[in-house]
């Protein structure tokens, strides 16, 4: 299943923010001890028009890394092996308003919207749901998604 595309689910806080991490290694060998892994950070911040979701290299911050893990090299063997693996869908729960558009690198991408409660609102029931479809993002890359 290591070649399957990913779905990221972003559940916003009352402040309209979210953060999380994704760690991947081959799950079979001790290659992680040689720096053969992926460690991504995801951060969502609200803007006046929507929000921005960013993916960045988490492992460059070695302050939280175990002493058993060597410094991360973004060109490691595992990163090269899974460089074709994509993020197939991003689900954002709890946005305040329906967006006017979603873009990656200035290009619009397909998305759908379901009305619901905002994360910071007082409305009861299920949260609003934005589904970004096939954004063309690699799981090992740094990228930014803009919601307007």
């Amino acid at each position: 299943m290591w070649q399957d595309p990913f779905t990221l689910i972003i559940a916003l806080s009352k402040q309209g923010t979210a953060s999380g991490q994704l760690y991947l290694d081959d799950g079979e060998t001790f290659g992680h001890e040689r720096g053969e892994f992926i460690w991504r950070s995801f951060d969502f911040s609200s803007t006046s028009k929507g929000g921005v979701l960013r993916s960045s290299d988490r492992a460059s911050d070695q302050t939280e890394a175990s002493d058993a893990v060597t410094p991360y090299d973004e060109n490691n063997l595992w990163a090269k092996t899974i460089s074709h693996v994509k993020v197939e869908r991003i689900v954002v729960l709890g946005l305040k308003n329906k967006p006017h558009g979603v873009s990656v690198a200035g290009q619009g991408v397909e998305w759908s919207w379901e009305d619901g409660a905002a994360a910071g609102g007082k409305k009861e029931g299920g949260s609003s749901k934005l589904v970004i479809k096939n954004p063309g993002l690699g799981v090992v890359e740094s990228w930014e998604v803009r919601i307007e």
Side-chain angles (χ1 to χ4, degrees), residues 17-70:
T17 62
S19 63
Q21 299 177 31
L22 173 66
Y23 173 88
L24 299 170
D25 63 28
D26 68 12
E28 296 178 5
T29 70
F30 290 97
H32 65 280
E33 292 179 353
R34 296 184 303 277
E36 295 175 12
F37 59 90
I38 302 299
W39 194 2
R40 305 301 300 167
S41 178
F42 301 97
D43 293 291
F44 184 94
S45 57
S46 291
T47 65
S48 60
K49 295 182 179 181
V52 178
L53 173 64
R54 290 182 179 89
S55 168
S56 60
D57 173 14
R58 177 71 180 128
S60 62
D61 178 7
Q62 292 292 305
T63 59
E64 293 184 27
S66 163
D67 291 337
V69 177
T70 60

Side-chain angles (χ1 to χ4, degrees), residues 76-94:
N76 71 70
L77 180 60
W78 181 244
K80 289 179 182 179
T81 301
I82 67 167
S83 63
H84 67 283
V85 176
K86 299 291 183 193
V87 174
E88 123 183 290
R89 185 177 314 126
I90 300 171
V91 179
V92 182
L93 303 171

Side-chain angles (χ1 to χ4, degrees), residues 71-148:
Y72 179 73
D73 173 10
E74 66 184 24
N75 296 310
N76 71 70
L77 180 60
W78 181 244
K80 289 179 182 179
T81 301
I82 67 167
S83 63
H84 67 283
V85 176
K86 299 291 183 193
V87 174
E88 123 183 290
R89 185 177 314 126
I90 300 171
V91 179
V92 182
L93 303 171
L95 278 175
K96 186 175 182 179
N97 299 310
K98 179 180 180 179
H100 297 288
V102 177
S103 63
V104 173
Q107 300 294 315
V109 294
E110 184 180 352
W111 57 277
S112 64
W113 173 261
E114 292 179 24
D115 283 328
K122 296 181 181 185
K123 182 179 173 184
E124 299 276 327
S127 66
S128 64
K129 182 177 180 181
L130 170 67
V131 179
I132 303 167
K133 303 172 185 177
N134 296 313
L137 305 168
V139 74
V140 300
E141 302 167 347
S142 292
W143 44 257
E144 182 176 283
V145 176
R146 294 198 158 273
I147 300 167
E148 312 244 353

Side-chain angles (χ1 to χ4, degrees), residues 2-13:
W2 61 269
Q3 295 189 62
D4 289 349
F6 281 78
T7 295
L8 300 177
I9 299 176
I10 314 297
L12 300 181
S13 70

